[in-house]
């Protein structure tokens, strides 16, 4: 049954598995895992129980200086054991945007304490999304998130997401001696689902090593089985200097993020006297959030959602590519991870058709997707079944047809 969407509010009142219910009791397929994060699906009692137990034992206490708590220590050890980073250390935060700011500050201060304070420049990629905190807004690869705020963090620049040549040219333009770090998502997510070429990251890693630039991977969207492994970047066999994580680490049940830092980058702060890292936040390492993360990781491993993700990746790719021949579709991007984008044609956009209109139509038909300026994005929970994928894609096709017909009429 079609549902008419009225007014600005869409009140989600309940969720279970891949399904949402609004405050009218109508059901919707969650085609985006909320904002890319509910990897294990909604309504997991195991995570709720772990949160309840932890609240009853130690609700919260700051992790700063020499203060710690057992869930934060256990989570850090567990994440470090899976990270493709040499001699890893973990900095916990409250989310992805905060973790990006932490990584940027660590990168700049690392060079300062190494006697190279001029190395402050940060390079990122077009389409890259790195949260909306101070550094994240400054290095984001989408102008619509950067404008209207006045001066942002200086000494940043953006290069084409798929060009090694442009990256090297920018390094040389700025001066390698001034570049602190390069930031990249394994697969660009919110910027439109763009996967790298097969040798892109190997060449990035080699370039960063050659010029002595820190390589920071933003795995906030791509981590925790979204790409079939722990942090996404493993698919390309490289070992970055830092990995930023969030979202899927708790499947969004509670806010948590962090940065995994290589031992070489941590060395001046960790072992050398006189270089404390004056950085921390009130809720970083929150024991209840860490308990949620540990329960979430248990589910990922016990149910082997890493293998399931690879299977769903193939199924989603097969289903969504059937939309490639639709007259309103310019391109379908899928096949790397459980994520996809359906890009509208220039003619459709020029005719006044918007992705927001298709998003509203799809939601009225019971499927929630994500609209960005020129595409509809798909990133369901990793517990989605084949028939639910078919339902998602057939609903999107019907929504495209309905919107196209309205503009003809």
């Amino acid at each position: 049954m079609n549902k008419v969407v009225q007014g600005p509010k869409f009140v989600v009142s309940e969720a279970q598995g891949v399904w949402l219910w609004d405050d009218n009791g109508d059901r919707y397929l969650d085609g985006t895992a909320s904002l890319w994060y509910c990897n294990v699906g909604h309504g997991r009692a195991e995570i709720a129980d772990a949160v309840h137990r932890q609240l009853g034992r130690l609700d919260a206490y700051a992790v700063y200086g020499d203060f710690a708590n057992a869930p934060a220590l256990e989570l850090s050890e567990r994440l470090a054991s899976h990270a493709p980073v040499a001699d890893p250390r973990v900095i916990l935060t409250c989310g992805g945007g905060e973790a990006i700011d932490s990584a940027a500050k660590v990168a700049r201060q690392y060079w300062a304490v190494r006697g190279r304070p001029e190395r402050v420049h940060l390079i990122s990629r077009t389409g890259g999304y790195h949260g909306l905190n101070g550094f994240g807004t400054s290095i984001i690869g989408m102008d619509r998130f950067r404008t209207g705020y006045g001066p942002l963090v200086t000494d940043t620049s953006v290069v084409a997401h798929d060009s090694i040549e442009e990256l090297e040219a920018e390094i040389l333009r700025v001066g390698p001696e001034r570049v602190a770090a390069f930031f990249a998502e394994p697969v660009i997510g919110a910027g439109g689902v763009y996967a790298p070429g097969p040798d892109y990251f190997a060449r990035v890693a080699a370039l960063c090593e050659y010029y002595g630039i820190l390589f920071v991977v933003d795995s906030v969207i791509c981590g925790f089985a979204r790409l079939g492994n722990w942090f996404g970047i493993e698919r390309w066999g490289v070992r970055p200097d830092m990995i930023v994580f969030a979202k899927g680490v708790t499947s969004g049940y509670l806010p948590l993020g962090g940065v995994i830092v290589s031992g070489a980058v941590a060395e001046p702060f960790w072992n050398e006297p006189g270089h404390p890292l004056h950085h921390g936040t009130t809720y970083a390492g929150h024991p209840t959030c860490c308990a949620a993360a540990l329960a979430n990781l248990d589910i990922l491993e016990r149910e082997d959602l890493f293998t399931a993700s690879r299977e769903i990746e193939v199924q989603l790719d097969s289903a969504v590519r059937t939309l490639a021949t639709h007259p309103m579709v310019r391109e379908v991007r899928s096949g790397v991870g459980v994520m996809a984008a359906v890009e509208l044609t220039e003619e459709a956009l020029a005719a006044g058709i918007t992705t927001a209109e298709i998003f509203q139509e799809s939601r009225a038909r019971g499927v929630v997707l994500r609209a960005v300026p020129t595409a509809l994005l798909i990133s369901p929970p990793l517990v989605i079944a084949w028939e639910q994928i078919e339902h998602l894609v057939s609903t999107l096709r019907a929504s495209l047809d309905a919107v196209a017909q309205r503009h003809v009429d």
Side-chain angles (χ1 to χ4, degrees), residues 233-248:
I233 194 65
E234 297 96 316
R235 289 186 73 146
W236 294 278
V238 299
R239 294 170 70 81
D241 298 291
M242 288 188 258
I243 296 177
V244 177
F245 65 89
K247 292 190 185 290

Side-chain angles (χ1 to χ4, degrees), residues 42-294:
H42 301 281
R44 291 286 193 150
E46 182 175 339
I47 300 177
D49 291 343
V51 167
H52 181 263
R53 287 193 303 271
Q54 185 59 47
L55 283 170
R57 182 171 187 175
L58 172 64
D59 49 359
Y61 207 86
V63 173
Y64 200 79
D66 61 352
F67 283 80
N69 62 70
L73 292 171
E74 182 182 351
L75 177 63
S76 297
E77 290 286 349
R78 194 160 169 185
L79 293 172
S81 72
H82 294 293
V85 172
D87 189 20
R89 316 295 167 84
V90 179
I91 301 171
L92 295 174
T93 71
C94 299
E98 192 178 277
I100 284 287
D101 275 28
S102 300
K105 289 172 71 176
V106 167
R108 285 184 165 186
Q109 192 164 5
Y110 169 80
W111 290 115
V113 300
R114 285 296 188 220
R116 303 293 301 278
E118 71 280 5
R119 295 196 78 150
V120 296
H121 197 92
L122 307 174
I123 302 175
S124 52
R125 302 194 294 166
T126 55
Y129 183 83
H130 303 291
L132 298 177
N133 287 19
F135 278 98
T137 301
S138 301
I139 67 172
I140 205 166
M142 293 173 275
D143 288 343
R144 68 184 185 276
F145 291 112
R146 295 168 53 92
T147 57
Y149 302 109
L152 300 173
V153 175
T154 58
D155 296 295
T156 69
S157 56
V158 177
V159 298
H161 71 87
D162 55 354
S163 175
I164 291 291
E165 294 73 22
E166 188 170 324
L167 173 58
E168 184 165 27
E170 181 63 7
I171 292 169
L172 295 174
R173 184 194 71 80
V174 173
E177 73 283 355
R178 292 192 59 248
V179 180
F182 173 64
F183 286 73
E185 297 171 271
V187 174
I188 288 174
V193 185
Y194 290 94
D199 65 345
Y200 176 81
F201 279 119
R203 296 177 67 190
V204 163
L207 198 64
C208 287
E209 183 176 9
Y210 180 78
Y211 289 112
I213 294 165
L214 299 180
F215 178 23
V216 183
V217 168
D218 181 348
S219 292
V220 169
I221 283 174
C222 295
F224 305 100
R226 178 66 52 186
L227 266 62
N229 47 37
W230 281 94
F231 296 99
I233 194 65
E234 297 96 316
R235 289 186 73 146
W236 294 278
V238 299
R239 294 170 70 81
D241 298 291
M242 288 188 258
I243 296 177
V244 177
F245 65 89
K247 292 190 185 290
V249 68
T250 66
S251 285
Y253 279 64
L254 284 176
L256 191 146
V259 189
I260 301 175
V261 181
S262 73
V265 173
E267 180 68 20
F269 312 111
W270 192 270
N271 291 325
E272 296 179 14
H275 301 305
L277 181 64
H278 294 293
H279 178 75
T281 59
T282 302
Y283 300 112
H286 193 290
T288 306
C289 296
C290 292
L294 290 166

Side-chain angles (χ1 to χ4, degrees), residues 329-343:
V329 173
R330 183 180 75 83
E331 182 183 23
V332 170
R333 294 186 292 274
S334 61
V336 182
V338 183
M339 49 205 303
V342 178
E343 185 96 11

Side-chain angles (χ1 to χ4, degrees), residues 364-378:
R365 294 169 178 267
V367 171
V368 175
L369 303 173
R370 177 122 188 254
V372 296
T374 63
L376 283 305
L377 307 185
I378 301 167

